[in-house]
Amino acid sequence: MDTDKTKIQSLIDNHQGLKKNLIAILLDIQENFNYLSPESLRVVAKALDMPLIDIFGVATFYRAFSLTPRGKHMCLVCMGTACHVRGGPKILEEIERKLDVAPGENTKDGQFTLETVACLGCCAIGPVVVVDGEYHGHATIRKIGPILAKYQKPEAS
Amino acid sequence: MKHYRAHLLVCAGTGCVSCGSFKIKEALEKEIKKRKLQDEVQVVATGCNGFCERGPIVLVQPDGIFYQLLTVEDVPLLVEEHLLKGRPVKKLMYVPPDEKQPVPKMKDIEFFKHQRLIVLRNRGRIDPEKIEEYIAFDGYEAMGKALAEMTPETIIAEISASGLRGRGGAGFPTGRKWAACAKEKRTPKYLICNGDEGDPGAFMDRSVLEADPHAVLEGMVIGAKAIGAVKGFIYIRHEYPLALKRVEIAIAQARDNGLLGEDILGAGFNFDLEIVEGAGAFVSGEETALIASVEGKIAMPRQRPPFPAQKGLWGLPTVINNVETWATVPNIIRRGADWFQGLGTESSKGTKIFSLVGKINNTGLVEVPMGITLRDVVFGIGGGIPKGREFKAVQIGGPSGGCLPAKLLDLPIDYESLTAAGAMMGSGGMIVMDDKTCMVDIAKYFLNFLQDESCGKCVSCREGTQRMWEIVRDITEGKGKESDLPLLEELAQVCKDASLCGLGQTAGNPILSTLQYFRHEFEAHILDKRCPAGVCTKLIRYVVLSEKCTGCLSCKKACPTEAITGSLKEVHSIIQTKCIKCGACQEACRFEAIESQRDEAIQVI
Amino acid sequence: MAGKKKLRIQDLAKIREKTKSLMTIREGEGRARVTVHMGTCGIAAGARDIMDALLDEISKAKVQDIIVTTSGCAGLCSAEPMATIELKNQPPVKYGDLTPEKIKKIFVQHILGGQMVTELVLAVGSETVY
């Protein structure tokens, strides 16, 4: 726990401990710890000399932040307009069925977090599914099983 | 720098990268080395080439040969045939839809032929991570001119005379914005580059930042001199990691070379830039919300006036322009207002970048002169609708815009015409839809987006978008009433009248424009409980067309609920009680034998 | 701040001049186009040395708006290695039985100077390249 505090403090220091860098600090914590723990928000509030409620406000306002730990693999489904007209919703439904999870939630085994995104800006290859930063373009219902299996497999062994 | 006889320009925009273009680049370099061509041939990673549909893309110069849809396996052939033996490889070239002969040269491809590149002039031509390549193509020349030969007044006069209007949405004249800020006495003043490109389906800002980041930097230094700013911020959404990286590199290089920081170019002018990474909120594209976000706060818009030019970042005078606008500025200063004036229409000058996506053959990014018709873009450059389907609508302007029908295809694209037609320029997203797109579903899509992204400050927007979404959702589920349509129109109007910022004021547009042009589709959903496009799941059922079914078993294998019966070479059929309407069978069928039809079980009340 | 020398306004033009000649190739334009015939026969006869010598000369002369490409066998294998020189708005000129020395001479006299090296010329004007 203490090491976490030191780590968080160093992330804050990277941004000169300035109030204006709150979002950047939270993004760094999110990236390092996979979520924003209540503890980390308290550390930030203290270091920046800001009320906890303001930190909490920012943490809950922006989409990039999560207040609960995320799954091992992040599965991101693009819900941009271009992906939508090319069948994005059907892809999302299939993933929901396959993983038995709703967008914004983790699977029961903690392996996957399913999230949607408004647009990734690579509309040419839509519908797009991104798992752990790897883009899977021209997604079809039938491709979903094999795509997910790729990430599930190493865990089984 | 060395002289190479051939340059391989590998597109490294996000679209191509996600199709594996870096792997292509690696393979090319390896193969070139293997063939001992490394001293003759240079491989360069460029920004987005624009023809994203065909990625990964490699352009071979000086021949101008355009290779597309490359795989790593194609690389040895390409290197041996083209680079060693000088025989361009036909089978890797682009073949237009419905044609047999490939088009070898990029400049002859319809998609590129009709474009006019100003902001995107360096796309697919320079390595965005090398400042000297930007300088080679007249980069920073305009900045030198502005710093050495121009005064703030003459810069603003030039921008005003050019007729440049903001490329991010409302189209406010850039010169007027700068003049208002220059007039303010309070200091320090700030600049912001709005790279929070939130409109789904629009990615021109990402592309400019990735392909030509120095153009944005140069534009901002010129703007800084014009208004007397000391510091600027480039706000980039965190969904764009590659853009963030390239801008970071560009800023470091510019500083290293004395093009940013103190005493820029020895001209005695100081200005520096900082990157601010967004955290995902559509509303932060609104300028007062953006200011709050740069300050590290919740991106909630505030009342205007005072405008940011008077009271912006930390209450000080601030100019905010979007990425495309900033990247246009150096071109105007370098080539003059008269030149820019000569492009476009009476009220909309210059060029505009559009992202052409959706049901279109040539998906990609196009830069065209203002005033070009929708038809020229969709059919001329875009190559029309895939599979010869029928054009139904084009959605322009993102969630604040509207859907324009086929009868408006000859509409010239300029700020006023689009607004009059019920859409708007917005940032330039163009989503093409065909007869398989349901317009009620599209309205539902945008309302869902808006109710999700509404910051919640104004009741009219927070509750209004939510309520409109619920009503349209009910319509798509067969629960619509005739009284819903006038209610929707009323809600859209209230949302427009009573909301503070652009998001709320335009939130009614998607519903109003679809109601204006596609009311019959709403009525079909409400009165007949029928989705004409066969999209709304609750109103359709999947059936096998016996005359088309070959009994190949593909659909049966794809079905997750074993709802399909029939054996090999026997016409299949779907057990409706087991069907979950996932669409897997339709996707699997190669004979278009599965159709979505009106679900007869639905009761018409 | 550590870093390299800060640029002045006049330096920009210098960089532009220096790099632009290297970059004109990306626009597919140049004052001359040299095609070295690199079919199997050409390579066997030493076309690679011709290419190396040519690129070397181009670098040394610092006139880098010259396009160098390769092509397959020119059909006259006995005269390999061969090269075709096309100056802007002039018919192509074919040279045969090249050596590094000969290509150097052709480079200086023909490409830079605009005067054909008549004693080495195989043919003037010809079938167009693809």
Side-chain angles (χ1 to χ4, degrees):
Chain A
M1 211 55 200
D2 275 346
T3 53
D4 280 3
K5 257 188 191 165
T6 337
K7 176 77 189 161
I8 291 168
Q9 190 57 51
S10 80
L11 294 174
I12 296 169
D13 293 343
N14 284 347
H15 295 282
Q16 300 88 40
L18 294 174
K19 285 192 175 85
K20 79 168 178 76
N21 293 337
L22 173 62
I23 293 172
I25 291 167
L26 294 182
L27 279 171
D28 279 358
I29 297 175
Q30 173 79 41
E31 190 173 325
N32 274 272
F33 296 93
N34 200 16
Y35 80 115
L36 304 177
S37 64
E39 188 56 30
S40 67
L41 295 183
R42 275 189 209 103
V43 175
V44 174
K46 204 162 169 215
L48 300 187
D49 190 24
M50 285 171 77
L52 184 59
I53 183 70
D54 287 354
I55 311 284
F56 189 74
V58 169
T60 49
F61 187 85
Y62 293 97
R63 202 174 282 276
F65 304 125
S66 164
L67 296 178
T68 48
R70 282 183 173 162
K72 208 170 153 80
H73 303 288
M74 172 58 88
C75 180
L76 201 58
V77 185
C78 183
M79 287 284 112
T81 325
C83 286
H84 182 89
V85 302
R86 287 189 182 190
K90 292 249 183 262
I91 304 295
L92 179 64
E93 282 168 22
E94 176 69 7
I95 296 176
E96 288 179 32
R97 267 194 304 273
K98 279 253 153 48
L99 294 178
D100 187 23
V101 70
E105 291 175 3
N106 299 339
T107 50
K108 284 185 198 78
D109 59 4
Q111 283 299 307
F112 286 92
T113 297
L114 178 62
E115 288 277 0
T116 59
V117 59
C119 184
L120 291 163
C122 46
C123 310
I125 57 168
V128 186
V129 178
V130 181
V131 188
D132 294 346
E134 197 177 339
Y135 288 71
H136 301 274
H138 303 293
T140 60
I141 300 165
R142 277 176 301 165
K143 280 188 195 168
I144 295 305
I147 290 174
L148 293 176
K150 210 177 128 184
Y151 302 89
Q152 282 163 327
K153 244 188 189 154
E155 288 317 306
S157 60
Chain B
M1 271 178 114
K2 249 178 80 36
H3 184 75
Y4 294 95
R5 69 172 166 90
H7 293 215
L8 300 191
L9 307 169
V10 183
C11 176
T14 290
C16 279
V17 169
S18 42
C19 296
S21 68
F22 280 128
K23 282 190 194 126
I24 302 283
K25 182 172 181 257
E26 263 172 48
L28 278 170
E29 281 165 345
K30 217 173 112 198
E31 191 66 22
I32 283 169
K33 228 173 174 168
K34 199 170 128 196
R35 298 280 182 174
K36 300 200 174 53
L37 292 167
Q38 70 271 23
D39 292 330
E40 302 170 23
V41 178
Q42 187 187 24
V43 184
V44 186
T46 71
C48 177
N49 161 295
F51 203 176
C52 308
E53 184 75 44
R54 296 281 156 172
I57 289 167
V58 173
L59 177 69
V60 182
Q61 288 290 30
D63 312 336
I65 305 288
F66 183 82
Y67 291 119
Q68 42 104 52
L69 296 175
L70 292 175
T71 63
V72 171
E73 289 72 42
D74 295 328
V75 167
L77 179 74
L78 195 161
V79 171
E80 171 164 355
E81 283 295 301
H82 190 150
L83 297 173
L84 203 58
K85 298 183 179 160
R87 290 194 293 237
V89 188
K90 277 209 174 117
K91 72 167 209 178
L92 302 177
M93 292 172 187
Y94 169 69
V95 182
D98 309 323
E99 280 178 44
K100 290 212 165 63
Q101 278 306 308
V103 184
K105 299 207 176 197
M106 181 163 121
K107 64 178 171 56
D108 298 327
I109 295 173
E110 289 290 318
F111 178 79
F112 296 102
K113 226 156 91 180
H114 305 287
Q115 295 194 46
R116 177 74 196 255
L117 303 185
I118 292 175
V119 177
L120 296 175
R121 68 194 182 95
N122 280 331
R123 77 163 178 201
R125 179 163 81 168
I126 66 164
D127 181 339
E129 296 180 15
K130 293 207 171 104
I131 191 169
E132 60 274 15
E133 298 202 356
Y134 178 67
I135 295 174
F137 289 107
D138 307 320
Y140 289 110
E141 188 183 314
M143 184 177 100
K145 185 175 163 189
L147 295 185
E149 300 163 24
M150 298 175 84
T151 64
E153 293 73 30
T154 55
I155 296 173
I156 292 174
E158 194 77 11
I159 296 295
S160 299
S162 75
L164 174 65
R165 296 170 65 173
R167 299 297 193 232
F172 191 81
T174 307
R176 224 196 295 163
K177 196 185 253 185
W178 290 14
C181 191
K183 213 169 61 191
E184 290 295 314
K185 297 274 181 301
R186 290 176 313 132
T187 53
K189 295 178 185 177
Y190 297 106
L191 295 184
I192 299 178
C193 170
N194 186 350
D196 188 62
E197 184 170 57
D199 284 10
F203 54 95
M204 56 286 299
D205 291 349
R206 171 180 68 64
S207 186
V208 171
L209 291 169
E210 283 173 10
D212 208 8
H214 286 286
V216 177
L217 270 49
E218 188 180 1
M220 290 186 80
V221 178
I222 295 168
K225 162 114 183 187
I227 68 151
V230 287
K231 175 105 198 229
F233 298 87
I234 304 184
Y235 190 97
I236 304 173
R237 58 194 293 243
H238 83 124
E239 288 91 340
Y240 289 172
L242 193 59
L244 278 158
K245 180 186 147 208
R246 296 241 166 100
V247 174
E248 217 166 280
I249 293 172
I251 290 179
Q253 287 176 341
R255 267 195 209 129
D256 250 14
N257 285 286
L259 302 169
L260 269 182
E262 282 179 18
D263 192 18
I264 296 175
L265 281 174
F269 183 73
N270 305 336
F271 179 70
D272 210 350
L273 280 170
E274 194 177 303
I275 297 177
V276 180
E277 186 176 339
F282 174 68
V283 71
S284 44
E286 199 277 340
E287 56 180 16
T288 58
L290 186 70
I291 287 171
S293 193
V294 174
E295 291 173 352
K297 300 177 191 152
I298 292 173
M300 238 182 217
R302 62 153 175 80
Q303 181 70 270
R304 293 179 306 179
F307 290 95
Q310 286 111 32
K311 270 184 103 171
L313 206 51
W314 295 294
L316 290 155
T318 305
V319 160
I320 303 174
N321 283 125
N322 94 321
V323 173
E324 195 182 335
T325 316
W326 285 121
T328 310
V329 167
N331 294 290
I332 295 173
I333 297 297
R334 197 176 78 249
R335 303 183 67 171
D338 289 344
W339 161 80
F340 194 77
Q341 268 275 330
L343 295 159
T345 69
E346 193 50 42
S347 65
S348 307
K349 299 294 182 193
T351 55
K352 174 81 191 83
I353 310 175
F354 293 97
S355 56
L356 196 54
V357 299
K359 304 279 187 72
I360 184 102
N361 272 317
N362 303 339
T363 303
L365 215 53
V366 303
E367 182 172 0
V368 289
M370 296 273 196
I372 189 171
T373 64
L374 284 170
R375 188 185 301 280
D376 285 341
V377 173
V378 173
F379 289 93
I381 296 172
I385 318 300
K387 297 178 191 157
R389 301 208 86 97
E390 198 184 323
F391 170 91
K392 187 193 256 183
V394 56
Q395 206 282 345
I396 303 179
S400 304
C403 292
L404 303 180
K407 68 172 183 199
L408 291 178
L409 270 173
D410 291 308
L411 191 79
I413 301 173
D414 61 61
Y415 290 99
E416 281 72 23
S417 304
L418 288 177
T419 307
M424 71 180 283
M425 187 73 81
S427 56
M430 268 195 198
I431 295 100
V432 180
M433 298 161 188
D434 67 3
D435 56 348
K436 292 277 172 193
T437 314
C438 170
M439 302 315 285
V440 184
D441 178 66
I442 290 297
K444 180 176 80 171
Y445 167 81
F446 280 113
L447 288 169
N448 184 36
F449 178 85
L450 288 161
Q451 63 90 17
D452 198 28
E453 294 291 349
S454 170
C455 79
K457 185 167 185 164
C458 310
V459 180
S460 51
C461 172
R462 184 181 68 229
E463 301 298 329
T465 52
Q466 168 82 21
R467 189 67 197 109
M468 286 191 280
W469 171 65
E470 286 166 3
I471 295 170
V472 176
R473 185 197 57 199
D474 284 353
I475 294 176
T476 62
E477 292 178 356
K479 293 182 248 170
K481 301 183 291 291
E482 266 187 276
S483 57
D484 283 346
L485 298 185
L487 178 61
L488 278 171
E489 281 163 329
E490 191 188 338
L491 280 168
Q493 195 58 44
V494 172
C495 196
K496 191 175 202 152
D497 292 342
S499 304
L500 199 60
C501 82
L503 190 150
Q505 286 165 7
T506 57
N509 285 359
I511 189 77
L512 289 175
S513 73
T514 39
L515 272 176
Q516 182 182 351
Y517 299 115
F518 302 97
R519 201 177 188 94
H520 53 278
E521 280 195 40
F522 282 83
E523 286 165 354
H525 282 74
I526 294 171
L527 302 175
D528 310 343
K529 311 293 172 200
R530 182 170 63 86
C531 175
V535 171
C536 298
T537 325
K538 290 264 167 71
L539 301 182
I540 55 158
R541 58 177 188 163
Y542 289 96
V543 290
V544 179
L545 301 176
S546 52
E547 68 275 16
K548 284 189 178 170
C549 178
T550 61
C552 72
L553 296 176
S554 296
C555 59
K556 198 175 171 184
K557 279 182 211 147
C559 179
T561 57
E562 296 179 353
I564 297 180
T565 60
S567 38
L568 192 63
K569 294 187 180 166
E570 225 176 62
V571 171
H572 302 325
S573 71
I574 300 171
I575 306 166
Q576 295 299 331
T577 47
K578 280 191 177 179
C579 177
I580 55 166
K581 297 175 186 174
C582 71
C585 54
Q586 195 172 38
E587 180 194 289
C589 181
R590 284 164 291 145
F591 308 99
E592 297 196 9
I594 293 177
E595 204 179 65
S596 43
Q597 291 183 350
R598 177 170 182 270
D599 190 348
E600 300 298 336
I602 286 206
Q603 295 292 311
V604 180
I605 312 152
Chain C
M1 204 205 299
K4 37 184 179 184
K5 191 182 141 261
K6 306 283 183 208
L7 298 178
R8 305 264 141 179
I9 288 175
Q10 57 273 23
D11 297 330
L12 280 177
K14 278 184 218 153
I15 297 179
R16 201 171 300 133
E17 220 165 89
K18 217 174 81 191
T19 39
K20 185 140 196 179
S21 57
L22 294 167
M23 306 281 283
T24 43
I25 281 187
R26 295 209 190 149
E27 313 223 68
E29 282 169 24
R31 70 166 104 169
R33 174 185 282 263
V34 184
T35 310
V36 180
H37 299 276
M38 284 230 188
T40 311
C41 43
I43 293 174
R48 173 137 273 151
D49 296 336
I50 306 302
M51 175 66 83
D52 289 348
L54 180 65
L55 291 177
D56 199 37
E57 282 304 298
I58 293 174
S59 287
K60 269 196 265 172
K62 293 187 176 149
V63 279
Q64 291 151 326
D65 53 341
I66 288 162
I67 295 169
V68 183
T69 60
T70 58
S71 80
C73 172
L76 191 62
C77 307
S78 59
E80 300 278 11
M82 283 172 60
T84 307
I85 315 284
E86 287 169 88
L87 297 190
K88 223 172 190 170
N89 309 322
Q90 284 183 31
V93 179
K94 273 199 169 58
Y95 291 97
D97 292 314
L98 291 172
T99 62
E101 283 66 41
K102 285 182 189 169
I103 194 76
K104 276 181 202 169
K105 185 167 183 195
I106 293 165
F107 177 74
V108 175
Q109 191 178 321
H110 187 170
I111 300 175
L112 295 183
Q115 297 295 318
M116 258 189 273
V117 186
T118 13
E119 68 270 25
L120 301 176
V121 169
L122 267 181
V124 179
S126 71
E127 76 281 15
T128 37
V129 186
Y130 70 81

